[in-house]
C-alpha cells in the first residue's frame, strides 16, 4: 500500500475492555517522535489509544500501513505557531503551548469514549496536570530526556543550596558536581541549562515541574535500564511514583511495530548516494530540528569536514552560508532526511550530533559512534554521557552554545579523523555495539523495557 495521510476517525470502539489512553505529545519534532513510537508499542499490546495533535502535525503524518484499529488520531486547531518556523521565536512558541492548547484539548476529551483511563502527556506541558485534576483522570508523564537529566532536575534544590545553580553565575564552570544520585561527576558546564539564566521565574518553573511529578500516576522514560542503570536505580528508590523506562523509543529494531512517520519536513532520499560510498566511510552530520548554529561556526564546520577528508552527509535545514557550493563531491548536503534510515546504512561510520536525546538514542541503537556538538538544554549532559560514561564518542565542543566561542576547523578535522579511523575508533565501535545489543534485548519479549511496558499497562488495568 502506498504511503498515505492518516485519516481522522473519531468514532469510539464499542465494548473494548482495554485501558483507554489519551496521549498528548508536546508539539515539537523531538517530542512527537518518541510519543508516537510509545503509542504504537502500547497499541501493539492491546491498549486503546487516542493521540491529540494539532491539525498541522496531523497533516505531517504518513503511514505505509492502515493504522491499527485501536489507534485514533484526533486534532485540535492550529492554535500555536508552525513547527516549521518555531525556532524564530522560541519563547513565544513555549508561551503559546502553555496558554492556548488547554482549552481545545479539554473540549476534545469530552468526545472520547469509552472513559479515559489515563492521560499520557509530555512532562513539558504542565497545564495537563490541572486539566486532568479537574476531570479526575490520572496522568502519567513521558519524560523525553535521559533519566540522568531527570535526576539532575529532581535535585535542583540541592544544586541551588550549594550555589551550583544557575551555572552562569558559578565561579568555576569546570568544577565537578558529584552528589547527584545516580549521576557520575559532571562539570557544572555540562549540567542541563534550563538552569542558565538564573531569573527567579526560571527557577520557580523548574521546581514546579517536579511538583507535577509528585502527583503523577507514574513516569515513563525513553531510556532502557542497561543504558542508565545508576540513574534508574537511584530514581526508582527516590521518586515516590512508579517509574518505567520503556525505551529506546525508536522506529527500529522492532519491525513488527506499526511505523507512523512523523516528519514535519519532507525528507530527501539519500540511499543512492550512500549506496555508492565505501562501508563505514561516511560521517552523518545533524544538529537537530530546532536550533540554528551561527554562520561563523557553520563555516568552520564545513572547512573542518573538508580538511578531515572524510565523506559526509550533512542535514542543514536553513544553512546560513552556501554549504552546497563549499562541499566537494565527498559531501552531500540535504535539508532533511530519514535519520533512522541513514544511520542504519552500512556506509555510515560516524554521527556528528547536537546530542538531542532522540538522536543520542538513535545513534546508540544503530551502533554508530558519535562526535558531540551540544547546543543547549539537556544536550551537554547527553554529550557527557556519550563521551565519559559510555565512552562511545568524542567531544567537538562542550557546554551550551556560546556565539563568541567558535570551534576552529583544525580541531574539527582532527576529532573527525580520530572518530573515523584508528585504535581509539575501534574501541568506541566495540563498546557501542555492546550497548546496541543491550538496547535490542531490552525491547525483546522478556527484556527490561518490554517488561516495564507490560507493568505499566498492568497498572492501568488494575
Ligand atoms: N530527524 C530526522 N531527520 C533529520 C534530522 C532529524 O528524522 O534530518 C529526527 C531524528 O531522528 C530525531 C528528531 O528528528 O528523532 C530530533 O530529535 P532530537 O531529540 O534528537 O533533537 P531536537 O530536534 O529535539 O533538538
Amino acid at each position: 500500500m502506498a504511503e498515505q495521510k492518516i485519516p481522522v476517525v473519531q468514532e469510539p470502539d464499542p465494548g473494548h475492555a482495554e485501558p483507554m489512553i489519551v496521549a498528548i505529545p508536546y508539539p515539537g519534532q523531538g517530542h512527537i517522535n518518541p510519543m508516537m513510537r510509545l503509542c504504537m508499542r502500547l497499541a501493539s499490546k492491546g491498549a486503546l489509544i487516542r493521540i491529540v495533535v494539532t491539525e498541522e502535525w496531523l497533516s505531517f503524518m504518513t503511514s505505509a500501513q492502515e493504522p491499527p484499529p485501536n489507534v485514533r488520531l484526533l486534532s485540535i486547531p492550529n492554535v500555536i505557531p508552525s513547527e516549521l518556523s518555531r525556532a524564530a521565536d522560541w519563547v513565544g512558541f513555549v508561551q503559546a503551548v502553555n496558554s492556548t492548547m488547554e482549552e481545545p484539548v479539554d473540549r476534545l476529551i469530552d468526545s472520547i469514549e469509552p472513559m479515559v483511563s489515563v492521560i499520557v502527556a509530555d512532562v513539558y506541558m504542565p497545564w495537563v496536570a490541572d486539566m486532568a485534576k479537574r476531570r479526575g483522570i490520572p496522568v502519567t508523564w513521558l519524560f523525553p530526556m535521559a533519566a540522568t537529566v531527570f535526576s539532575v532536575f529532581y535535585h535542583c534544590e540541592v544544586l541551588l543550596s550549594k550555589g551550583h545553580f544557575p551555572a552562569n553565575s558559578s565561579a568555576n564552570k569546570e568544577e565537578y558536581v558529584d552528589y547527584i544520585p545516580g549521576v557520575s561527576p559532571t562539570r557544572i558546564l555540562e549540567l542541563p541549562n534550563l538552569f542558565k539564566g538564573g531569573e527567579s521565574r526560571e527557577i520557580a518553573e523548574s521546581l514546579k515541574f517536579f511538583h507535577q511529578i509528585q502527583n503523577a500516576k507514574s513516569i515513563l522514560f525513553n531510556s532502557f535500564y542497561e543504558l542508565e542503570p545508576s540513574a534508574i536505580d537511584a530514581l526508582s528508590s527516590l521518586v515516590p511514583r512508579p517509574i518505567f523506562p520503556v525505551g529506546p523509543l525508536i522506529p527500529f529494531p522492532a519491525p513488527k511495530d506499526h511505523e507512523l512517520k512523523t516528519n514535519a519536513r519532507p525528507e530527501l532520499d539519500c540511499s543512492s548516494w550512500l549506496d555508492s560510498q565505501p562501508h563505514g566511510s561516511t560521517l552523518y552530520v545533524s544538529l537537530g530540528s530546532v536550533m540554528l548554529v551561527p554562520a561563523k561556526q557553520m563555516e568552520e564546520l564545513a572547512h573542518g569536514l573538508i580538511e578531515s577528508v572524510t565523506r559526509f552527509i550533512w542535514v542543514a535545514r536553513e544553512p546560513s552560508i552556501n554549504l552546497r557550493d563549499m562541499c566537494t563531491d565527498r559531501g552531500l548536503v540535504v535539508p532533511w532526511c530519514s535519520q533512522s534510515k541513514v544511520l542504519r546504512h552500512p556506509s555510515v561510520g560516524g554521527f556528528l550530533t547536537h546530542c538531542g536525546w532522540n538522536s543520542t538514542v538513535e545513534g546508540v541503537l544503530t551502533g554508530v559512534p558519535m562526535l558531540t556538538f551540544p547546543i543547549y538544554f539537556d544536550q551537554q549532559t547527553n554529550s557527557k554521557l556519550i563521551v565519559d560514561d559510555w565512552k562511545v564518542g568524542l567531544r567537538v565542543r562542550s557546554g551550551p552554545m556560546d556565539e563568541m566561542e567558535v570551534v576552529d576547523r583544525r580541531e574539527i578535522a582532527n576529532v573527525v579523523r580520530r572518530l573515523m579511523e584508528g585504535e581509539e575508533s575501534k574501541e568506541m565501535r566495540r563498546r557501542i555495539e555492546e550497548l546496541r545489543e543491550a538496547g535490542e534485548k531490552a525491547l525483546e519479549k522478556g527484556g527490561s523495557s518490554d517488561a516495564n511496558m507490560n507493568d505499566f499497562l498492568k497498572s492501568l488495568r488494575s
Side-chain angles (χ1 to χ4, degrees), residues 29-30 33 263 286 288-289 315 336-337 339 354 356-359 362:
Q29 186 75 67
N33 288 3
N263 276 333
S286 170
S289 65
V315 176
W336 193 257
C337 68
Q339 178 162 301
H354 75 308
W357 183 241
N358 293 291
S359 295
E362 288 161 13

Side-chain angles (χ1 to χ4, degrees), residues 379-391:
Q379 295 159 11
Q380 51 276 4
T381 316
N382 301 337
S383 158
K384 185 246 165 208
L385 283 169
I386 294 168
V387 179
D388 297 345
D389 294 26
W390 309 328
K391 301 185 171 44

Side-chain angles (χ1 to χ4, degrees), residues 429-442:
R429 279 170 215 287
R430 191 189 58 70
R431 278 192 290 265
I432 204 161
E433 183 53 24
E434 284 175 7
L435 283 181
R436 189 192 66 72
E437 280 176 16
E440 279 199 8
K441 285 211 178 86

Side-chain angles (χ1 to χ4, degrees), residues 6-195:
I6 304 285
V8 189
V9 188
Q10 301 206 20
E11 309 89 57
D13 303 48
H16 212 297
E18 288 290 343
M20 165 63 85
I21 299 175
V22 173
I24 313 181
Y26 190 91
Q29 186 75 67
H31 296 255
I32 290 260
N33 288 3
M35 182 67 95
M36 290 302 179
R37 294 160 190 171
L38 170 72
C39 288
M40 291 306 161
R41 299 260 166 88
L42 290 168
S44 72
K45 289 179 180 288
L48 297 176
I49 311 282
R50 299 293 179 266
I51 309 171
V52 180
V53 291
T54 59
E55 277 163 8
E56 182 186 49
W57 269 104
L58 186 72
S59 75
F60 294 146
M61 293 184 191
T62 54
S63 174
Q65 303 140 267
E66 282 297 339
N70 47 341
V71 176
R72 302 270 189 272
L73 278 137
L74 310 177
S75 66
I76 60 164
N78 291 326
V79 289
I80 51 170
S82 167
E83 168 70 8
L84 303 175
S85 57
R86 71 180 163 126
D89 178 11
W90 179 245
V91 175
F93 180 79
V94 173
Q95 281 167 351
V97 171
N98 284 340
S99 61
T100 62
M101 284 181 70
E102 178 172 352
E103 201 229 303
V105 172
D106 198 19
R107 250 185 294 122
L108 192 73
I109 291 182
D110 280 335
S111 68
I112 298 179
E113 286 176 17
M115 219 168 71
V116 179
S117 324
V118 71
I119 293 177
V120 174
D122 193 294
V123 80
Y124 290 104
M125 291 194 296
W127 52 266
V128 173
D130 302 330
M131 182 190 72
K133 194 169 169 199
R134 277 198 313 273
R135 292 178 161 273
I137 304 173
V139 178
T140 287
W141 298 109
L142 172 63
F143 188 70
M145 297 175 175
T148 300
V149 169
F150 187 99
S151 190
V152 175
F153 286 160
Y154 199 71
H155 295 94
C156 174
E157 288 188 51
V158 194
L159 282 159
L160 259 173
S161 70
K162 292 192 185 272
H164 291 150
F165 159 50
N168 270 10
S169 65
S170 169
N172 183 3
K173 290 197 206 109
E174 294 291 333
E175 194 182 328
Y176 279 84
V177 164
D178 60 0
Y179 50 81
I180 305 290
V183 179
S184 64
T186 305
R187 285 181 299 164
I188 290 178
L189 179 74
E190 293 190 313
L191 290 175
N193 77 325
L194 173 69
F195 297 153

